[in-house]
Amino acid sequence: MNYSEKVMDHFINPRNVGEIENADGIGEVGNAKCGDIMKMYLKIDEDTITDCKFKTFGCGAAVATSSMATEMIKGKSIDDALKLTNSAVMEALDGLPPVKIHCSVLAEQAVKAALTDYYTKQGIDPEPIVGKVPEMEEE
Ligand code: FES
């Protein structure tokens, strides 16, 4: 299997690994098939994601995609983070082998799950804004 240099870089030196104390939103998602789990922490000020960290109990592609996803949403608005798709993350990493696409889906879902948690904590119904985020992906 061939991984791009960017994937290898983010796998070996993942950015923003860890937890955020008093995070404003925490999301955890998993994939039922491979059993991998991803946890995303967001710090939000007004409408901006000021900090973002992740922990992944998963494969190398899961580490690389979550690392890239955190870089892509840090300092951005919630709106931008909501628009983050797994294909954008894959593109930023110069692609992933087809069997690893679901790993990037996990990264997208983890961001959305953290935003769901953020809105819930604010007393706002997250579903019309974020959509439905499955805790477990079947694919
Ligand atoms: Fe499951 Fe990568 S193999 S997230």
Side-chain angles (χ1 to χ4, degrees), residues 33-111:
K33 272 199 186 139
C34 64
D36 292 348
I37 294 167
M38 201 180 283
K39 205 162 174 179
M40 189 70 73
Y41 300 80
L42 300 178
K43 196 87 200 148
I44 296 169
D45 188 14
E46 306 267 327
D47 225 9
T48 307
I49 296 169
T50 52
D51 200 8
C52 158
K53 289 202 191 308
F54 80 94
K55 273 178 150 182
T56 292
F57 187 79
C59 72
V63 173
T65 49
S66 26
S67 165
M68 181 53 96
T70 57
E71 291 240 291
M72 289 170 84
I73 62 168
K74 208 169 166 176
K76 299 278 169 60
S77 67
I78 294 181
D79 269 1
D80 286 336
L82 283 169
K83 280 187 218 126
L84 182 83
T85 60
N86 77 301
S87 11
V89 175
M90 280 200 297
E91 221 167 276
L93 287 168
D94 292 337
L96 276 177
V99 294
K100 289 287 169 183
I101 291 173
H102 77 271
C103 320
S104 65
V105 173
L106 222 48
E108 178 192 323
Q109 301 288 34
V111 172

